[in-house]
Amino acid sequence: MSTNITWHPSLSRHERNQLRGQRGLTIWFTGLSASGKSTVATALEQHLLHIGLSAYRLDGDNVRFGLNKDLGFSETDRNENIRRIAEVAKLFADSSTIALTSFISPYRADRQIARDLHADATQGGDDALPFIEVFVDIPLAEAEKRDPKGLYKKARAGEIKDFTGISAPYEAPEAPEITIRTDLLSVEESVKKIVDYLAEKGLITETKETR
């Protein structure tokens, strides 16, 4: 780690939020493969953009093929994968953008690191960086039944090592801000549940519909 670097202050987060007219935050989707994380996150991103809020989704397609293309799926690499994603999400949130992350992120300790990074980014009475954990809960049997990419089948056959839920653990959140059962709720209902939570907590306010 470099020691010859100095932090240069700039606009406060509060000023940036005021100028951009919205609050920056991170919504962290976690759950098994095929639980519906990316589907709900994509629909939420579309909804937020539609109502005039800046949002951006980070997922395996735009992270694993670029920033994290040097990482595999060992526990060590998974840890580093999540650490990098958390740092990028924090930067998006700091820019007054709603960052949506859609990753299995199977370990509680890694998700706690992501949460702590956001909490520690607030200094001097500036606006906080909210971190909203969304547990996309689904029974393993239902995820295996969906299996859109055939990954569970390959994992059961031993063709994929360290596959979450089969040969690697998934540690479910103990106190997520939001829990969604995608086997019981539609995509639209899932998005509404998240939007209602954000509005109730005052994290999103003015929209095209209410101006």
Side-chain angles (χ1 to χ4, degrees):
M1 181 177 179
S2 298
T3 57
N4 60 336
I5 56 176
T6 303
W7 181 267
H8 292 280
S10 58
L11 278 176
S12 71
R13 188 173 302 129
H14 178 74
E15 288 177 296
R16 194 177 293 112
N17 287 343
Q18 290 291 106
L19 289 168
R20 295 200 64 191
Q22 72 173 70
R23 185 83 175 269
L25 60 129
T26 291
I27 303 175
W28 190 281
F29 291 84
T30 177
L32 293 170
S33 178
S35 61
K37 300 181 301 299
S38 292
T39 300
V40 175
T42 298
L44 176 61
E45 180 187 28
Q46 291 173 334
H47 176 77
L48 293 172
L49 291 170
H50 178 72
I51 62 176
L53 297 173
S54 178
Y56 189 79
R57 180 174 54 89
L58 298 165
D59 65 12
D61 288 341
N62 57 23
V63 173
R64 278 283 187 182
F65 288 101
L67 176 66
N68 293 351
K69 65 181 179 181
D70 59 321
L71 300 177
F73 291 91
S74 67
E75 182 173 350
T76 299
D77 281 1
R78 282 175 180 268
N79 294 345
E80 176 61 12
N81 182 55
I82 297 305
R83 188 196 69 79
R84 293 183 195 178
I85 293 161
E87 291 283 5
V88 172
K90 183 184 73 173
L91 291 174
F92 270 98
D94 190 46
S95 74
S96 303
T97 297
I98 299 174
L100 312 173
T101 72
S102 176
F103 297 87
I104 295 172
S105 45
Y107 301 111
R108 292 190 191 103
D110 291 339
R111 298 194 300 268
Q112 186 61 47
I113 287 172
R115 185 183 291 274
D116 291 344
L117 278 172
H118 287 68
D120 294 343
T122 301
Q123 298 178 353
D126 204 357
D127 289 354
L129 277 183
F131 182 91
I132 312 301
E133 187 176 42
V134 179
F135 178 28
V136 185
D137 188 12
I138 188 174
L140 177 59
E142 178 64 24
E144 288 198 67
K145 188 169 79 172
R146 293 179 179 181
D147 201 13
K149 300 177 181 179
L151 299 179
Y152 282 100
K153 184 178 180 180
K154 291 181 179 179
R156 289 290 187 189
E159 297 175 25
I160 301 177
K161 296 181 179 179
D162 300 320
F163 190 81
T164 302
I166 304 298
S167 52
Y170 177 77
E171 299 171 355
E174 295 178 327
E177 280 74 14
I178 304 170
T179 298
I180 291 172
R181 284 288 301 267
T182 56
D183 57 328
L184 302 177
L185 298 176
S186 67
V187 174
E188 292 76 13
E189 290 168 334
S190 298
V191 168
K192 184 178 186 304
K193 185 172 182 178
I194 298 169
V195 170
D196 287 349
Y197 174 91
L198 297 175
E200 178 186 334
K201 297 297 181 181
L203 298 174
I204 60 173
T205 50
E206 195 171 345
T207 68
K208 286 181 179 178
E209 282 81 359
T210 59
R211 284 174 186 165

